[in-house]
Amino acid sequence: MLVKTKGSAIVGIDAVTITIEVNVSMGQGYCIVGLPDNAVKESLDRTESAIKSNGFHMPRTKLVINLSPADLKKSGAAFDLPIAIGILAASEQITQPSLIEKYVCMGELGLDGNLYPIKGILAMAMQAKEEGFAAMIVPKQNAAEALMVEGIPIFAFSSLQEVVHFLNNPYDEKQNKLQQDHTSINQNMQTETSPNFADIKGQSAAKRALEIASAGGHNLIMIGPPGAGKTLLSRSIVSILPPLNKNEALETSKIYSVSGKIPLDKQLISQRPFRQPHHTLSAIAMIGGGGHPQPGEISLAHNGVLFLDELPEFNKSVIEVLRQPMEAGTVSIARAKMTVNFPARFMLLAAMNPCPCGYYNHPQKPCHCSVTQIQKYLHKISGPLLDRIDLHIEVTPVPYSELIKTENAENSIEIAKRVELARAIQIERFQNEQGIYTNAQMNEALLKKWGLLSPAAEKLLELAMEKFQFSARAYDRIRKLGRTIADLEGNTTIKEEHISEAIQYRNLDRSTWGQFKN
């Protein structure tokens, strides 16, 4: 008897529907075809034990399992459940096999028949809804994640025996109660604590730069001596970033689901990601890849922040791979048999010392590095990468008089309100533009429309271009930055003072920076 069940395979961060064909006929032997990897091939052994442990019998005749489409690589243990269901239906142990094709079922089976959670359930549920399946059957631990997708019923079970009972009695009211409510799941969102701006002494210029970067999604680099507060300032940015909207939350949660990084006690990711990889990571870990391509750090930072502390300590090849994703917002991973695209629309936040000893330009401590050493250290960060960073700021040590002040600085809540208002202006501005949410993401056509300068601002920018020899990319980024500063003040026109402030944030572009010691 031939039976077909439905499952899903993950390609990149998207799911592809897989048809599992199971045929029980005269003969001997088991085989599984359709480009399975070792984990899928081993499924027959796990499935046989699970079937027997739950009181069913394994066919002792010819058993052929085909995973279609056959040219797509199938990997992982998630196909255990649809294969087991197909075997039981083909051997007539499931009484209503015609219902099976209406459901997508995925899950890993233990030898005792218990169901274990799998990766990528969110993407699978989205695909099942898009293709119009009646429902999805998942392990109980994955139920909350699957229920992020509204519009498709989710049935969650703990064992193979429960799944078979449901398929034999699909209209049992008790079984229908296993379907959970979307509303209650979505209300339980991820929360995370971060440093508050009010607790950071001094550093008003750096805080202002972080506010502008957060408002427009701009890249930022901080340069200063050790202990000046670069890392603390960077971590505090989470407290002023606006929450993810629903579409962004689904995009981000989908990436984390495929990577297996959504905790079982969490559901929809509502807070923007903040990724801080160590400087020893490889280029593949940064951009993604592997035999079965997985998202890298830049994709895990999608819609959030990628913080690279001690930037010159990273391998130069790792840093330079950021160039193309910073421009395109996606990264393409090419392999011999497939090419996958991962989203990578992140805000780069970097911190570095000004020289090997760390005290170049320090107001009190002397620098012991030569000009050649300073130049060599700074040249670890290439010009093309710096050109893609909108804000360059120097962070100076906080004086003792500031450290002992008892009154708190402005609270993160107040700054976050201004950031959110500026983001709201941008969302309305780009509401008809696909995939564009912030000023930093504007293309040339949008910049031409929304980046118009007042006559005085245009004259000032012209003088700055001639004096500091800014590149054409820097010219565009200064205009984008000016647009964000104007949005923070609620102005529709980019004025001279907005461009003046934006130009001040291009320190590392100036030809004289770092060439001479104090």
Side-chain angles (χ1 to χ4, degrees):
M1 182 177 177
L2 176 64
V3 169
K4 297 180 181 180
T5 61
K6 298 293 183 179
S8 285
I10 298 296
V11 180
I13 64 166
D14 297 315
V16 177
T17 299
I18 302 296
T19 300
I20 298 94
E21 300 176 309
V22 181
N23 187 37
V24 176
S25 60
M26 297 296 293
Q28 289 184 333
Y30 302 156
C31 70
I32 182 167
V33 296
L35 213 58
D37 70 353
N38 287 333
V40 179
K41 291 177 182 177
E42 293 168 354
S43 174
L44 280 174
D45 296 319
R46 289 191 298 272
T47 299
E48 181 176 8
S49 178
I51 287 174
K52 291 178 179 177
S53 297
N54 281 261
F56 305 106
H57 69 267
M58 188 74 176
R60 292 302 173 192
T61 54
K62 181 74 172 179
L63 176 62
V64 179
I65 300 168
N66 178 46
L67 307 177
S68 176
D71 60 344
L72 180 67
K73 184 76 173 179
K74 323 298 186 308
S75 61
F79 290 98
D80 290 1
L81 182 59
I83 287 174
I85 295 302
I87 292 172
L88 293 174
S91 58
E92 300 182 351
Q93 296 177 74
I94 292 178
T95 57
Q96 301 193 43
S98 60
L99 294 175
I100 294 175
E101 285 192 66
K102 297 180 181 179
Y103 302 136
V104 172
C105 55
M106 294 295 285
E108 179 183 348
L109 283 172
L111 297 182
D112 57 357
N114 286 334
L115 282 171
Y116 297 115
I118 60 173
K119 297 191 292 186
I121 278 290
L122 179 57
M124 296 175 185
M126 294 172 73
Q127 184 67 18
K129 176 190 174 182
E130 184 178 330
E131 296 193 10
F133 284 96
M136 189 170 184
I137 297 173
V138 300
K140 187 163 287 186
Q141 299 96 317
N142 288 125
E145 184 181 333
L147 283 167
M148 295 179 200
V149 182
E150 299 183 14
I152 180 169
I154 303 297
F155 296 94
F157 302 97
S158 300
S159 67
L160 175 62
Q161 191 171 45
E162 290 180 3
V163 177
V164 174
H165 179 74
F166 168 72
L167 293 173
N168 284 331
N169 305 275
Y171 305 111
D172 187 342
E173 290 185 3
K174 292 182 180 179
Q175 296 293 338
N176 288 337
K177 290 181 181 179
L178 291 172
Q179 183 179 346
Q180 299 179 30
D181 178 63
H182 289 86
T183 306
S184 62
I185 291 295
N186 286 333
Q187 288 174 346
N188 183 18
M189 292 186 172
Q190 183 186 25
T191 58
E192 190 174 315
T193 58
S194 59
N196 194 302
F197 272 41
D199 301 326
I200 302 175
K201 304 295 183 180
Q203 304 296 5
S204 57
K207 292 177 184 178
R208 169 65 175 172
L210 287 168
E211 179 182 342
I212 296 169
S214 301
H218 301 284
N219 302 318
L220 181 148
I221 184 169
M222 289 184 284
I223 182 167
K230 302 184 296 295
T231 302
L232 181 61
L233 284 163
S234 299
R235 289 175 177 168
S236 67
I237 198 172
V238 177
S239 65
I240 65 172
L241 286 171
L244 295 167
N245 61 41
K246 187 174 181 180
N247 289 334
E248 288 176 327
L250 281 172
E251 281 180 5
T252 305
S253 298
K254 188 176 179 182
I255 296 169
Y256 277 71
S257 172
V258 169
S259 303
K261 296 184 182 296
I262 294 185
L264 295 179
D265 60 338
K266 303 291 185 184
Q267 286 82 48
L268 197 64
I269 294 176
S270 63
Q271 196 170 43
R272 295 186 183 274
F274 182 87
R275 302 293 300 181
Q276 186 181 353
H278 194 262
H279 63 260
T280 55
L281 89 167
S282 65
I284 290 178
M286 179 68 84
I287 66 168
H292 185 68
Q294 291 289 303
E297 287 293 335
I298 61 174
S299 294
L300 293 172
H302 181 63
N303 290 323
V305 177
L306 177 66
F307 175 44
L308 303 183
D309 202 1
E310 304 295 347
L311 186 62
E313 300 303 321
F314 284 80
N315 190 299
K316 189 169 184 178
S317 63
V318 173
I319 301 174
E320 294 306 311
V321 298
L322 296 174
R323 290 193 204 173
Q324 184 270 337
M326 287 171 69
E327 291 284 337
T330 61
V331 59
S332 180
I333 308 295
R335 293 292 179 264
K337 295 183 179 180
M338 70 169 68
T339 299
V340 297
N341 293 312
F342 293 120
R345 192 174 57 246
F346 60 93
M347 190 175 88
L348 176 65
L349 188 56
M352 61 180 288
N353 294 326
C355 65
C357 78
Y359 295 108
Y360 174 73
N361 271 353
H362 194 284
Q364 283 89 32
K365 296 185 179 181
C367 172
H368 302 288
C369 306
S370 67
V371 173
T372 303
Q373 287 177 312
I374 295 172
Q375 287 295 300
K376 184 178 179 181
Y377 187 78
L378 293 175
H379 286 167
K380 291 182 179 180
I381 316 303
S382 69
L385 181 65
L386 283 175
D387 211 30
R388 289 168 166 82
I389 299 178
D390 307 47
L391 295 95
H392 311 157
I393 61 170
E394 292 185 65
V395 180
T396 56
V398 181
Y400 180 73
S401 58
E402 289 285 341
L403 290 175
I404 62 174
K405 282 185 178 179
T406 56
E407 65 270 18
N408 286 333
E410 188 177 19
N411 195 288
S412 288
I413 296 174
E414 299 302 318
I415 301 174
K417 288 178 181 177
R418 295 197 296 269
V419 170
E420 195 160 357
L421 286 174
R423 285 285 183 113
I425 293 172
Q426 294 165 62
I427 289 172
E428 183 178 356
R429 177 182 296 147
F430 305 126
Q431 59 183 334
N432 297 323
E433 306 296 334
Q434 183 69 29
I436 295 179
Y437 304 102
T438 63
N439 291 329
Q441 298 165 5
M442 284 193 289
N443 54 34
E444 187 59 39
L446 290 173
L447 188 57
K448 186 176 180 180
K449 180 178 180 181
W450 299 107
L452 297 177
L453 311 180
S454 68
E458 193 167 351
K459 182 64 177 176
L460 177 62
L461 184 53
E462 180 184 354
L463 292 173
M465 291 289 294
E466 292 176 357
K467 182 176 181 179
F468 300 119
Q469 300 176 352
F470 291 142
S471 68
R473 181 184 286 114
Y475 169 71
D476 286 345
R477 291 187 178 274
I478 290 171
R479 291 164 65 198
K480 293 177 183 179
L481 205 56
R483 178 69 271 167
T484 299
I485 296 170
D487 288 342
L488 279 168
E489 296 183 2
N491 290 325
T492 56
T493 304
I494 304 175
K495 299 181 180 180
E496 183 180 12
E497 58 266 28
H498 305 145
I499 289 297
S500 175
E501 185 175 2
I503 292 170
Q504 293 176 18
Y505 294 124
R506 302 295 302 187
N507 282 352
L508 299 182
D509 277 352
R510 300 174 187 174
S511 57
T512 57
W513 200 95
Q515 288 188 3
F516 304 101
K517 297 180 64 176
N518 291 341

